[in-house]
């Protein structure tokens, strides 16, 4: 067993979570040391000592997974079978959908996070001339019934796309459904479809009985991190595991539930709440200063309060409110304020609900925009893969995109599912990935012309000895006449701050956080302010709650002029120690 | 769980060969070159060794595909998973049949490294393995045919003993042992050997270092570690009552047994192992025949004992797979546990062009042939339990080579067994000379006859010792579906034993005498038609072409009289047993049909001739050159085989 990390002393509540055997649901406030505690529980296996069963640690965020990996570095066997550490999608695919689908179809499913990395992901609609659509913009029911999801369309394409589809919606959803059907028939399975398949398997009594027996002999406990983010499929799975006799430990914070678009309804996590015994809540905040804890209390629905008890529990620093009229100059002001408080620019992260807001307020210039041609998309993916500072999940996504573009150029094999594709190409998945990585590292896309980039990829493929496998690569990477990149990222501003969406920063923390509350628009974060004001329970308010609770020592609320009065009124009302910057 | 089935594709002599295994012990038997080692080698490639140190890697000549460039594929199917194992392997187990399939695919392209060459896959669909860490839980231990067991037991580096000891002792015992060793070493540190050496070294060092900075020299034993201490241990053994000596002096046979025992011991304590394939090649290589059977019983017993509940600890099951060309071992285990290997000749595939090179032209008249291995799992033969028991008992007692030859003659008794070779050599497979041949033709004819005799000699005559050939015919002619059987040619020599009118009369009379009447007087049973029965079995196995039933019209001794001119030799043989009974002989063979007459005489008086003695004497006379003509039914059977 791994010894506890140096110098860490657990509180009685944390110890209860770490050591008490059996099922429980534990509510944890931000900064409560939840991740540390469940990782410790994962290692100690309370109630399963000497047992041969595994423990699964399932998370919705990568933060917990990274933490387990770091903690178990010297004990790699803890990360191997019979244990499992990974996302809920990985869990479902590996243990439920993968085996059953494979036995029934005679080949394993080709799992994809989204339809964005499958053949035919971008297509010109036959319903209306000139309309370019992406399969990933739709949500599909179990029978393929399609719904166009506005939010999934990138901002700059959204208005024109929405107006173009307005009067032909039936046609484009029918078309999307047809495409979805041919992909699923060919063996591709995205996360959404995997849930549909799982739901179908779990209601088949024979299959479900067999699965339950197998689960019971594989896992003694399943630890679910951030349980509030489960959607209806996840809830069904958790109930199924519990019914298999596996102890289910759920940890989370219903106020951090900010994935409404994953079809979660609060009622469902509420339903989960009755499933197992409630454990002692973790309401000691080890992360933040008292003033930050107070804002977090204020943002939280209801009237529970966190106790600051970490290293900054005695810091008297107030929360700062920075009134601004737009993104121009905001980054400079934030940097200056932080410097005055003793924080370097590298310690600051700018967070906002919308990704483009965060980027602009951090002074990082215009967003990348979404590329429309294949060569532009490949160039973007290449740039992300080569960016050493990028987030691992972004790079993984870019890698998947890179590979899928490469596969589209594989002549007659392009539409094959993974197993057949790799067999036809006489190459393993690992070799394919290694080769794709080497291609990505051949040339930095935006330091070359599109023509040069294309030639580098082409000659790289020849060097790998893959030219017979991917004959269509030159055809796929068509270069426009003017020989220019359309979506070249603006030259990075060296003074720009780190930035992220609140969703992307979930599970993480930073010494200094600047939380952007921009100008009032339709929908979005300003609704959060009004919901905050009137004490309503709403996702936009929870986004603010999650954002503010990322801060350890310094929280700057970067508030647009139009929202300023409302915000300061609430802060005063709730007795938060704040200061105007 | 156990290895139920193993399929080898394009691996050495196995183009597409499937072997099925028994849960406990499976013995793979076959002649040299039939593919035994190939199957063991493929198992060694497919599973990691228990020790973690591979001893077998894929080699270029493991690909026999004659340039067709097909991948080598080795697929193991494991069945009988416990609930626990099904759970552990739930990501990999087939959702329909509950079996675990592990495939190792080897790509044969020339320029690949060992690592790139091997593609591990799972499931019937041969998918990427999502939990490769589980793979090592099914492993193997390999015992090579000509093993220097003694060296392996004693070698200082990685000595087996020190390796095993760590499994066998408790932590307390270990600490105590180390503490005592430490004490001992400390005492030894004051021994003159140590102190004198130290002082002498010190004196020299002192001279060198004092002018600069004085140094002190110490001399002591290094930190005591269990492995180091136990490395010095040597196994000793001797027969009861003698002073144990080094194992080298006890004969290699026993060293092998000790070695195997040490491996079993290690298996029993292997951590986290679900199944260990114990691969033993030719255990007879170093063992006395009596020890061979003892060893096999021991292995089988260990395999049986290794089945235990696995809730609290790994199953650590042992499955023994051994190869042999010893009829001794094969006979001892019984047919259920035997897989016999046979060779099938088939057209070799046309080589595929490599990198645009010209296709080597295949001459139309000489299609390339190649041999591929076919495995016959005798457990699958459609034998009734009592038929199987009969064969197994027969094998156990006779240690016969029934399962080892491809041309077999089944006979009812010792008489046929003794006479057939003599008849073949001196009467049937002889040069056919009319007298007007050239010297060259004559020589050619002689060579042909010699070759025919050589082939016959290589076939086996199996004395079943009864008239019940059916189980043997079923076994030998059975095919798993591709027309390959244990034998290529099978002759069965039987007697018709006709129920002649005289015999019926005599039986009726006997019954009347016994006082049975009317209803009780059973009807004369329908005479058995052995020839038709055996031919029906062959037909049902689609093997009519390779069975010849040679039936004596009456019975062997009687029918030897049929060819004109045999009588004098037979008479001579008879008189050897009964020197004073020449008149009796003449009386018994009197009439138009001497064979029929002798048959009746033999029916009436079983002691008339001692069949074995008679056959031996007759064979002797034939060898001595007395003219004798082989009855046609026997000659036909000899030529057929």
């Amino acid at each position: 067993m791994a010894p506890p990390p140096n110098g860490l002393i657990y509180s009685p509540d944390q110890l209860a979570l770490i050591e008490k055997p059996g099922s429980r649901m534990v509510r944890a406030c931000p900064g409560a040391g939840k991740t540390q505690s469940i990782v410790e529980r994962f290692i100690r296996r309370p109630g399963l000592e000497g047992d041969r069963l595994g423990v699964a640690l399932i998370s919705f965020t990568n933060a917990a997974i990274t933490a387990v990996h770091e903690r178990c570095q010297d004990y790699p066997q803890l990360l191997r079978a019979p244990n499992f550490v990974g996302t809920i999608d990985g869990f479902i695919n590996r243990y439920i959908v993968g085996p059953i689908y494979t036995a029934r179809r005679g080949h394993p499913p080709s799992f994809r996070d989204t339809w964005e990395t499958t053949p035919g992901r971008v297509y010109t609609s036959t319903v209306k001339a000139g309309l370019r659509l992406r399969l990933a913009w739709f949500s599909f029911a179990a029978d393929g019934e399609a719904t166009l999801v506005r939010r999934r369309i990138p901002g700059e394409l959204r208005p024109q796309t929405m107006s173009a589809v307005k009067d032909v919606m039936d046609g484009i959803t029918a078309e999307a459904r047809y495409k979805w059907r041919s992909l699923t028939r060919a063996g591709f399975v995205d996360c959404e479809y995997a849930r549909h398949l799982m739901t179908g398997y779990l209601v088949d009594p024979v299959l479900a009985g067999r699965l339950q027996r197998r689960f019971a002999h594989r896992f003694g406990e399943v630890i679910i991190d951030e349980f509030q983010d489960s959607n209806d499929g996840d809830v069904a799975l958790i109930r199924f595991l519990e019914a298999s006799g596996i102890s289910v430990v759920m940890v989370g914070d219903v106020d951090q539930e900010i994935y409404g678009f994953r079809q979660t309804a609060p009622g469902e996590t509420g339903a989960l709440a009755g499933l197992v015994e409630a454990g002692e809540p973790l309401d000691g905040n080890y992360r933040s200063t008292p003033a930050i804890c107070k804002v977090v209390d204020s943002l939280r629905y209801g009237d529970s309060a966190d106790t600051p008890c970490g290293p900054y529990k005695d810091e008297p620093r107030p929360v700062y409110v920075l009134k601004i009229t737009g993104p121009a100059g905001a980054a400079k002001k934030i940097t200056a304020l932080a410097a005055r408080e003793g924080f370097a620019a590298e310690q600051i992260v700018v967070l906002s609900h919308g990704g483009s807001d965060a980027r602009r307020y951090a002074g990082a210039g215009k967003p990348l925009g979404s590329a429309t041609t294949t060569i532009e998309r490949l160039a973007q993916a290449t740039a992300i893969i080569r960016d050493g500072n990028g987030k691992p999940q972004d790079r993984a996504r870019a890698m998947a995109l890179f590979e899928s573009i490469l596969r589209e150029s594989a002549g007659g094999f392009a539409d094959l599912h993974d197993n057949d594709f790799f067999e036809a190409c006489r190459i393993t998945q690992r070799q394919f990935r290694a080769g794709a990585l080497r291609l990505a590292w051949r040339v930095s896309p935006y330091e070359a012309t599109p023509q040069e980039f294309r030639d580098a990829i082409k000659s790289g493929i020849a060097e790998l000895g893959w030219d017979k496998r991917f004959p269509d690569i030159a055809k796929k990477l068509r270069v426009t006449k003017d020989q220019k990149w359309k979506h070249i990222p603006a030259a990075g501003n060296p003074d720009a701050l780190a930035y992220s969406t609140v969703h992307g920063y979930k599970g993480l923390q930073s010494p200094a956080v600047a939380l952007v509350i921009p100008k009032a628009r339709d929908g979005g974060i300003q609704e959060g302010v009004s919901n905050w004001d009137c004490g309503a329970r709403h996702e936009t308010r929870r986004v603010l709650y999650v954002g503010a609770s990322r801060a350890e020592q310094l929280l700057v609320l970067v508030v647009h002029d139009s929202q300023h009065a409302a915000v300061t009124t609430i802060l005063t009302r709730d007795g938060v120690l704040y200061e105007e910057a | 769980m156990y290895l139920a089935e193993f399929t080898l594709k394009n691996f050495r002599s196995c183009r597409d060969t499937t072997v099925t295994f028994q849960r406990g012990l499976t013995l793979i038997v076959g002649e040299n070159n039939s593919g035994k080692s190939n199957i063991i080698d493929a198992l060694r490639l497919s599973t990691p060794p228990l020790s973690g140190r591979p001893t077998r890697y894929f080699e270029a000549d493991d690909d026999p595909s004659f340039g067709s460039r097909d991948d080598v594929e080795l697929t193991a199917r494991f069945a009988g998973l416990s609930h626990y194992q099904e759970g552990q392997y739930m990501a990999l187990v087939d959702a329909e049949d509950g079996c675990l399939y592990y495939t190792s695919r080897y790509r044969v392209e020339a320029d690949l490294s060992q690592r790139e060459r091997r593609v591990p896959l799972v499931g019937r669909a041969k998918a990427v393995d999502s939990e490769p860490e589980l793979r090592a839980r099914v492993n193997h231990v390999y015992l090579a045919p000509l093993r220097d067991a003694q060296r392996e037991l004693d070698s200082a580096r990685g000595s087996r003993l020190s390796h095993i000891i760590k499994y066998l002792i408790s932590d307390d015992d270990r600490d105590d042992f180390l503490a005592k060793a430490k004490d001992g070493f400390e005492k030894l540190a004051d021994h003159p050997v140590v102190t004198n050496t130290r002082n002498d070294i010190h004196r020299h060092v002192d001279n060198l270092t004092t002018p600069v900075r004085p140094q002190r020299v110490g001399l002591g034993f290094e930190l005591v570690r269990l492995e180091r201490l136990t490395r010095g241990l040597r196994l000793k053994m001797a027969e009861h009552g003698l002073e144990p000596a080094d194992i080298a002096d006890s004969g290699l046979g026993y060293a092998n047994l000790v070695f195997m025992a040490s491996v079993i011991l290690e298996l029993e304590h292997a951590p986290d192992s679900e199944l260990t394939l114990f691969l033993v090649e030719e255990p007879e290589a170093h063992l006395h025949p009596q020890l061979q059977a003892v060893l096999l019983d021991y292995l089988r017993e260990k395999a049986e004992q290794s089945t235990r509940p696995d809730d609290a600890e790994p199953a650590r099951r042992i499955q023994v797979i051994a190869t042999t060309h010893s009829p001794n071992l094969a006979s001892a285990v019984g047919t259920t546990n035997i897989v016999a290997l046979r060779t099938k000749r088939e057209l070799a595939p046309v080589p595929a062009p490599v990198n645009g090179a010209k296709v080597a032209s295949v001459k139309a008249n000489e299609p390339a042939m190649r041999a591929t291995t076919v495995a016959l799992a005798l457990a699958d033969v459609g034998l009734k339990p009592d038929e199987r028991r009969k064969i197994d008992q027969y094998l156990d007692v006779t240690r016969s080579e029934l399962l080892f030859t491809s041309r077999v003659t089944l006979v009812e008794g010792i008489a046929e067994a003794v006479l057939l070779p003599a008849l073949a050599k001196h009467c049937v497979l002889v040069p056919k000379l009319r007298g007007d041949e050239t010297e060259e033709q004559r020589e050619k004819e002689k060579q042909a006859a010699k070759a025919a005799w050589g082939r016959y000699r290589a076939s086996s005559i199996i004395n079943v010792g009864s008239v019940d050939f059916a189980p043997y015919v079923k076994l030998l002619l059975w095919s798993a579906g591709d027309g390959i059987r244990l034998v290529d040619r099978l002759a069965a020599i039987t007697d018709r034993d006709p129920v002649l009118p005289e015999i019926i009369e005599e039986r009726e009379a006997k019954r009347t005498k016994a006082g049975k009447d009317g209803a009780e007087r059973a009807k004369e049973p329908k005479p058995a038609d052995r020839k038709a029965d055996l031919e029906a079995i062959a037909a049902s196995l689609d093997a009519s072409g390779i069975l010849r039933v040679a039936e004596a019209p009456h019975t062997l001794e009687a029918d030897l009289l049929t060819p004109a001119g045999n009588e004098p030799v037979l008479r001579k043989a008879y008189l050897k047993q009964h020197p004073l009974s020449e008149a009796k002989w003449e009386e018994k063979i009197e009439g138009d049909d001497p064979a029929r007459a002798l048959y009746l005489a033999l029916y009436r008086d079983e002691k008339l001739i001692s069949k074995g003695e008679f056959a031996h004497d007759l064979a002797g006379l034939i060898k001595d050159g007395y003219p004798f003509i082989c009855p046609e039914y026997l000659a036909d059977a000899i030529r057929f085989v």
Side-chain angles (χ1 to χ4, degrees), chain A residues 326-506:
Chain A
K332 248 188 204 141
K333 287 181 193 162
I334 296 166
T335 313
L337 171 56
R340 211 176 60 220
E341 291 293 322
F343 295 91
E346 298 81 53
Q347 292 177 287
I348 310 166
V349 64
V350 179
L351 300 179
S352 81
H353 196 165
S356 64
D357 282 337
R359 168 182 272 272
R360 286 185 300 161
Y361 279 85
K366 266 171 57 181
L368 207 56
S370 41
T372 44
T373 63
T374 307
I375 189 164
E376 294 267 3
R377 290 168 65 79
L378 189 69
Q380 273 187 1
T382 308
I384 295 169
I385 293 166
R386 294 168 63 103
D387 177 10
N389 299 321
K391 279 187 238 151
Q393 57 265 48
D394 288 344
R395 297 179 77 190
R397 222 172 287 139
M399 200 62 218
L401 183 63
F402 192 103
E403 289 176 357
S404 82
I405 293 172
L406 203 53
R407 276 177 65 165
E408 282 184 6
S409 67
F413 302 152
D415 292 343
L416 295 178
H417 64 73
D418 291 356
N419 233 35
D420 283 357
F421 173 80
F422 291 116
E423 210 167 321
C425 287
R426 303 201 48 72
I427 192 174
T428 65
Q429 209 151 354
R430 210 172 52 194
Q431 288 164 334
F432 180 62
R433 171 141 304 177
L437 260 174
R438 278 168 68 182
L439 285 179
W441 280 102
R442 277 181 75 80
V443 62
S444 171
Y446 300 119
E447 287 166 22
T449 66
Q451 181 70 45
E452 286 164 348
F453 176 67
R454 183 180 76 167
D455 292 346
I457 296 288
K458 217 184 130 192
S459 63
I461 285 178
E463 256 172 49
L464 287 167
W466 287 3
D467 34 354
K468 293 238 171 56
R469 295 184 178 118
F470 304 102
D472 300 342
I473 190 73
K475 208 163 64 195
K476 276 273 161 199
L477 301 181
R478 221 178 0 231
V479 177
T480 48
K481 280 193 197 106
D482 58 1
Q483 285 278 331
K484 289 219 172 84
W485 294 112
K486 302 283 180 303
H487 294 280
I488 195 156
N493 174 5
D495 296 331
L497 299 169
Y499 62 91
S500 170
T501 60
V502 171
H503 289 90
Y505 213 67
K506 205 156 176 264

Side-chain angles (χ1 to χ4, degrees), chain A residues 541-559:
Chain A
R541 178 180 176 189
R542 291 195 292 267
V543 171
L544 290 178
Y545 168 80
V546 173
S549 58
R550 301 304 97 197
E552 291 171 357
Q553 291 169 269
L554 174 65
L555 173 65
V556 184
L557 298 174
V558 183
V559 186

Side-chain angles (χ1 to χ4, degrees), chain B residues 194-205:
Chain B
V194 179
T195 51
N196 292 348
T197 312
R198 183 186 57 213
N199 293 341
D200 278 359
I201 295 176
H202 184 73
R203 189 158 47 81
H204 288 288
V205 172

Side-chain angles (χ1 to χ4, degrees), chain A residues 50-54 79-84 94-96 98-100 102-104 106-108 207 210-211 213-215 217-219 419 423 426-431 469, chain B residues 69 71 83-84 86-96 98 105 107-109 112 115-116 119 125-128 130-131 133-134 137 272 274 310-315:
Chain A
D51 204 307
R52 303 181 62 211
L53 298 173
L79 299 174
R80 298 198 195 121
N83 293 342
F84 172 89
R94 184 180 293 184
Y95 299 111
I96 301 177
I100 298 174
T102 308
R104 294 190 162 185
H107 66 81
L207 274 182
R210 205 181 293 159
L211 266 177
R213 195 184 68 210
R214 290 184 181 168
F215 269 124
H217 285 92
R218 171 64 191 257
F219 295 109
N419 233 35
E423 210 167 321
R426 303 201 48 72
I427 192 174
T428 65
Q429 209 151 354
R430 210 172 52 194
Q431 288 164 334
R469 295 184 178 118
Chain B
R69 319 214 42 86
D71 291 337
H83 284 336
Y84 175 80
E86 271 192 17
Q88 292 297 296
Y89 288 91
M90 69 180 293
L92 318 176
V93 159
D94 190 284
E96 305 282 322
R105 181 183 289 161
R107 295 167 55 202
V108 298
E109 285 95 332
L112 296 174
R115 213 178 115 89
E116 289 173 309
V119 186
K126 302 196 170 112
V128 174
S130 58
E131 294 192 326
E133 62 266 39
L134 290 173
R137 292 199 194 172
D272 236 17
E274 298 296 339
D310 59 352
D311 297 335
E313 51 175 5

Side-chain angles (χ1 to χ4, degrees), chain B residues 368-409:
Chain B
M369 297 295 285
R370 69 167 181 192
T372 80
T373 299
V374 176
L376 301 170
L378 303 189
D380 296 340
V381 182
L383 290 171
K384 292 182 202 121
D386 58 327
E387 290 180 320
R388 189 178 289 280
R389 195 177 56 239
K390 201 167 196 173
I391 294 179
D392 288 350
Q393 283 167 343
Y394 169 78
L395 283 174
D396 197 23
V397 174
T398 62
R399 304 284 148 118
S400 117
E401 56 195 356
L402 180 67
L403 306 172
F404 286 82
T405 51
S406 57
R407 282 165 296 133
V408 166
T409 306

